[in-house]
Amino acid sequence: MNKYTGILQQYWGYPSFRPLQEEIIRSVAEGNDTLGLMPTGGGKSITFQVYSLSVEGICLVITPLIALMKDQVENLKKRGIKALAIYSGMTREEIKVALDNATWGDYKFLYLSPERIATERFRDRLQNMKINLIAVDEAHCISQWGYDFRPSYLKIAELRSFFPDVRIMALTATATAKVVEDIQEKLLFPKKNVLKKSFRRENLIYKVREEEDKMGYMIRTIQKSKGSGIIYTRSRTKTREIAEQLQKNNISANYYHAGLSAETRHLRQDEWLSGKCRIMVATNAFGMGIDKSDVRFVIHVDAPDSVEAYFQEAGRGGRDEKKAIAVLLYNKADTVRLKKGVNEKFPPMELIKRIYDALGNYFQIAIGFGKGMSYDFNLADFAKSYHFSLVYTFSALKILEQDGFIELTDELERPSMVHFRVGRDELYKFQVANSAFDAFIKLLLRSYTGMFTEYRPIDEELLAKRANISRDLVYKFLSSLDSHKIIHYIPQKNTPFIVYTRERIELSKMIITKESYQFKKDQYEERVQSVIDYATSSSVCRSQQLLAYFDEKNSTRCGSCDVCESLNYMGISNLEFERIQTDIKNLLSKEPLLKHELFFRLKGNEENIQQVIRWLFDNKKLIERIDGKLEWTHNNE
């Protein structure tokens, strides 16, 4: 057994690696910067975690997803691996303690949001860290051609000047050929090195259903199907409405979105993972870091705004490699909604600037100040205070983020945290001198470990039960110990944050170029159109369409999607069908023809030609004009 498999078995209990995992590990071990492309559920994090555990030092993991970052840190700790994270919303003291531990402690992983890289405090401490690997998760965020570009990712390459001999492992589940090139260029790979697993999922069947009554379709389908599933919608309100309709039809279901309390989200997630709840109706807030292998179906009630997002969300089905189905419910209203969304995502430039100015006033930040500062942020309160549309406000903030003015985190749930500011000897003296606190301090130390070296999450309710006192009294004890400088106590929070990544500037000096704005808008419009094309196409295998989007051009038909089912029924090979359809399209694009004229000009088996023409009529690709001539509709080109 080699050392990598040994580490995998020791900490994760897996007998062997999944495809491509060990190849990525060995590539980095041989001294190569490596870009790994693995589909959702392929086990990307195992690659940098196993490699880092095989060598001395600490792994720097850069990821924009705070929830996933916290989840991975907790999972590593449960396996007996020391890990910590630094992200927006932490206090200066928390960051100092974390950096001390990363520098002098025997920690193996430091998770970091990309915005932290440019801070002076972090860079000052870098020199003293023994970094063994720089892992860049969600690496597509570095590319302006990617669907989730973040300018802070461009700072990652600057780490090379601190650690010229440390390799970079970049990982992503979704990247087109253009993005793959861009990632390697922006990270300054000395030579191209991409290890890629095909995005094809043999066991996942993709289907698109044109449905006006989506609710009726779901009820009928789920009642006939077996196993657990996820239903995705883009609206928080609809998650509840759909779940309630399913429940009325005796289907076990619940709903999940970021607006629910942390306790509620955890409870519902656990019930779904354990099988107590069969169906989870959710926004895209659900799924990150959740590994349930036996999801038999994923239904999208609303189409997402990018093929990448759809591919990731649909990919949560069938991770046990048994048959699963991904269904997109679509109708003409979805096309209207997606196209309308383009303008909502890109409000007028003048409005974006007004929102930026109002944000500075909202936080009372003077011109020239604010850089590196983070602020609790209530989007609804801000929009209401300045009479801005909620939708336009959120979109404007995301554009400001992409242009490097601010960072907007998702809603961040943080449990209460405690760290002892004094050593054990000084604490003992305090207990002797302040006997009223003695019993509570002992309770705190019995209930939680590690509070002298790092900030640890605590539960005031649990402490109250153990001490048989009220939660209010627990809060008073903690606050009093904080005021005595014995501990640093940070009460629980559940709020998004705004971080100023540069100082506030005057509006007259604020530059968002028309070229940059239009480029982003064009990119977004292209992604939306790709979703519409996927949903409305009825002549190309769904799997082939998705794979072609990610530049796997020569894939074979899956044979199981709704398009393939239609073609299979005709008994014509995919190659023959494509040839006849292309010939028909080419002929009718030049001029409309009567049916017999078209038939006369086509070559091949007459019965096959008849079947293809009939199929094209059924799928509204061909129409017959009043004069009897056939015309190509130009839909779904």
Side-chain angles (χ1 to χ4, degrees):
M1 181 191 300
N2 65 56
K3 64 178 177 179
Y4 305 123
T5 304
I7 291 168
L8 183 72
Q9 290 187 7
Q10 179 185 349
Y11 291 103
W12 283 270
Y14 300 144
S16 60
F17 287 101
R18 293 181 187 178
L20 204 67
Q21 286 179 327
E22 191 168 2
E23 291 93 317
I24 292 173
I25 293 168
R26 290 190 178 278
S27 175
V28 171
E30 290 164 6
N32 302 308
D33 289 335
T34 305
L35 170 57
L37 300 182
M38 301 171 74
T40 302
K44 296 187 297 298
S45 58
I46 288 283
T47 55
F48 62 78
Q49 288 169 351
V50 168
Y51 171 77
S52 182
L53 288 168
S54 74
V55 292
E56 192 181 345
I58 187 170
C59 175
L60 187 62
V61 187
I62 298 157
T63 175
L65 305 169
I66 295 175
L68 189 59
M69 183 190 301
K70 292 169 67 182
D71 184 60
Q72 288 199 10
V73 167
E74 286 308 308
N75 283 334
L76 286 166
K77 286 180 178 179
K78 287 175 185 175
R79 299 179 193 282
I81 301 166
K82 297 184 76 172
L84 45 80
I86 297 175
Y87 46 84
S88 302
M90 292 174 68
T91 65
R92 292 175 66 86
E93 194 168 341
E94 281 182 286
I95 292 171
K96 178 186 179 300
V97 170
L99 287 172
D100 284 345
N101 284 325
T103 307
W104 312 117
D106 56 341
Y107 284 77
K108 290 301 296 182
F109 297 94
L110 170 59
Y111 283 76
L112 198 71
S113 57
E115 292 76 17
R116 304 296 95 193
I117 294 171
T119 61
E120 288 182 24
R121 176 178 290 187
F122 174 69
R123 295 199 171 193
D124 286 345
R125 303 300 292 276
L126 267 180
Q127 280 74 272
N128 297 317
M129 290 186 196
K130 186 174 177 57
I131 304 293
N132 60 31
L133 178 69
I134 298 169
V136 183
D137 200 12
E138 307 295 333
H140 57 268
C141 294
I142 204 169
S143 173
Q144 290 194 64
W145 301 103
Y147 74 103
D148 193 18
F149 170 64
R150 293 171 184 254
S152 52
Y153 260 64
L154 298 172
K155 298 285 185 184
I156 296 172
E158 295 175 10
L159 294 174
R160 287 193 179 276
S161 62
F162 295 93
F163 307 106
D165 299 323
V166 174
R167 295 302 94 209
I168 289 180
M169 182 192 292
L171 300 161
T172 182
T174 47
T176 62
K178 189 179 286 187
V179 172
V180 167
E181 288 296 310
D182 211 20
I183 291 170
Q184 295 173 91
E185 183 182 316
K186 295 293 194 303
L187 289 174
L188 305 179
F189 276 31
K191 63 179 180 180
K192 299 291 174 64
N193 185 31
V194 182
L195 293 178
K196 180 179 179 180
K197 180 183 176 184
S198 172
F199 289 156
R200 188 180 183 104
R201 295 281 304 277
E202 299 285 355
N203 65 308
L204 187 57
I205 299 168
Y206 299 99
K207 293 182 183 288
V208 176
R209 298 297 189 207
E210 188 173 337
E211 293 285 342
E212 294 303 321
D213 179 16
K214 294 182 179 182
M215 194 68 241
Y217 171 88
M218 285 189 290
I219 291 169
R220 292 191 305 273
T221 302
I222 293 169
Q223 284 176 335
K224 290 186 292 185
S225 63
K226 295 180 180 180
S228 68
I230 308 172
I231 296 173
Y232 278 112
T233 177
R234 314 318 278 180
S235 158
R236 291 182 178 184
T237 303
K238 281 171 71 174
T239 61
R240 178 179 52 80
E241 292 172 349
I242 293 169
E244 287 174 353
Q245 282 298 313
L246 294 176
Q247 290 163 6
K248 286 177 183 177
N249 285 272
N250 299 314
I251 296 170
S252 170
N254 217 327
Y255 64 96
Y256 183 109
H257 58 70
L260 298 171
S261 70
E263 186 179 353
T264 300
R265 290 205 303 274
H266 288 150
L267 177 63
R268 292 182 182 181
Q269 178 179 308
D270 289 344
E271 287 179 345
W272 181 76
L273 287 170
S274 67
K276 289 181 182 177
C277 169
R278 183 185 171 203
I279 311 295
M280 186 64 80
V281 188
T283 62
N284 61 1
F286 184 73
M288 284 294 178
I290 295 172
D291 191 10
K292 183 172 171 64
S293 62
D294 60 345
V295 176
R296 298 276 65 89
F297 55 88
V298 178
I299 300 173
H300 277 77
V301 180
D302 306 311
D305 56 6
S306 73
V307 171
E308 289 93 337
Y310 178 72
F311 189 77
Q312 278 203 342
E313 290 164 14
R316 294 184 178 123
R319 290 187 179 181
D320 56 5
E321 299 187 359
K322 296 177 182 177
K323 181 181 173 183
I325 298 176
V327 182
L328 172 61
L329 301 181
Y330 198 85
N331 56 39
K332 289 178 182 176
D334 290 296
T335 300
V336 173
R337 177 183 60 81
L338 284 167
K339 289 187 173 179
K340 180 185 175 185
V342 175
N343 289 327
E344 289 178 344
K345 287 278 186 180
F346 290 87
M349 209 174 307
E350 192 53 44
L351 178 59
I352 296 171
K353 291 183 176 181
R354 281 173 49 212
I355 288 172
Y356 173 80
D357 197 43
L359 193 68
N361 295 336
Y362 184 71
F363 293 129
Q364 299 183 331
I365 301 170
I367 301 296
F369 292 86
K371 182 178 180 180
M373 299 296 292
S374 63
Y375 303 88
D376 292 0
F377 182 60
N378 186 317
L379 176 64
D381 180 68
F382 170 69
K384 184 179 178 182
S385 298
Y386 292 90
H387 308 291
F388 293 134
S389 151
L390 204 60
V391 172
Y392 277 150
T393 301
F394 181 75
S395 297
L397 293 173
K398 297 306 286 185
I399 289 172
L400 289 167
E401 181 177 46
Q402 289 198 343
D403 278 84
F405 293 99
I406 61 167
E407 171 202 351
L408 172 63
T409 72
D410 293 330
E411 198 162 273
L412 181 64
E413 59 182 74
R414 294 201 65 202
S416 298
M417 307 289 284
V418 166
H419 170 62
F420 275 91
R421 288 171 159 166
V422 298
R424 290 184 183 274
D425 291 343
E426 195 175 339
L427 177 62
Y428 177 73
K429 291 176 184 176
F430 177 82
Q431 288 173 268
V432 171
N434 300 271
S435 58
F437 290 97
D438 184 57
F440 184 79
I441 290 171
K442 286 176 179 174
L443 170 68
L444 203 56
L445 293 173
R446 281 199 309 270
S447 300
Y448 303 99
T449 60
M451 289 187 290
F452 288 98
T453 56
E454 62 180 314
Y455 281 80
R456 299 292 292 168
I458 65 159
D459 182 344
E460 291 92 339
E461 196 69 46
L462 178 66
L463 290 170
K465 285 179 182 176
R466 288 181 176 175
N468 197 24
I469 58 177
S470 70
R471 183 181 176 127
D472 284 346
L473 188 53
V474 168
Y475 177 77
K476 286 177 182 176
F477 269 122
L478 291 167
S479 299
S480 188
L481 286 170
D482 183 272
S483 65
H484 280 88
K485 305 293 184 186
I486 298 300
I487 65 170
H488 185 201
Y489 169 55
I490 305 169
Q492 180 180 1
K493 281 186 180 182
N494 188 15
T495 178
F497 289 89
I498 289 281
V499 180
Y500 273 73
T501 46
R502 56 176 297 186
E503 65 282 347
R504 181 186 178 186
I505 59 174
E506 295 178 25
L507 277 191
S508 59
K509 296 178 181 177
M510 185 181 184
I511 299 173
I512 300 176
T513 66
K514 288 182 179 178
E515 291 78 14
S516 171
Y517 176 89
Q518 194 60 46
F519 174 80
K520 292 185 182 75
K521 188 173 182 179
D522 290 346
Q523 289 290 104
Y524 182 75
E525 211 159 3
E526 281 181 27
R527 288 194 289 274
V528 165
Q529 189 58 49
S530 294
V531 173
I532 295 171
D533 291 345
Y534 171 78
T536 55
S537 170
S538 55
S539 61
V540 180
C541 163
R542 299 293 175 198
S543 178
Q544 283 184 315
Q545 288 184 63
L546 292 171
L547 292 173
Y549 183 85
F550 295 111
D551 302 288
E552 291 187 35
K553 303 293 187 185
N554 299 312
S555 61
T556 56
R557 280 207 290 134
C558 74
S560 303
C561 69
D562 57 298
V563 175
C564 285
E565 284 177 340
S566 174
L567 296 178
N568 292 343
Y569 178 76
M570 293 165 56
I572 302 173
S573 73
N574 191 50
L575 191 65
E576 177 70 355
F577 179 90
E578 291 293 335
R579 185 191 66 75
I580 296 171
Q581 179 184 241
T582 301
D583 288 347
I584 292 171
K585 178 184 173 183
N586 290 339
L587 287 168
L588 295 182
S589 294
K590 293 175 183 175
E591 58 175 331
L593 296 170
L594 293 168
K595 190 172 182 179
H596 72 273
E597 293 175 328
L598 173 65
F599 198 80
F600 179 75
R601 297 190 193 186
L602 292 168
K603 297 177 182 178
N605 180 285
E606 292 184 6
E607 187 178 339
N608 288 350
I609 292 171
Q610 290 277 18
Q611 289 220 63
V612 173
I613 290 174
R614 191 179 305 118
W615 188 90
L616 292 172
F617 267 118
D618 291 343
N619 287 276
K620 301 179 177 61
K621 307 273 287 181
L622 285 183
I623 58 170
E624 186 173 0
R625 304 191 322 189
I626 296 175
D627 61 6
K629 290 187 175 183
L630 304 183
E631 191 173 90
W632 188 263
T633 64
H634 296 287
N635 291 331
N636 313 318
E637 292 284 348

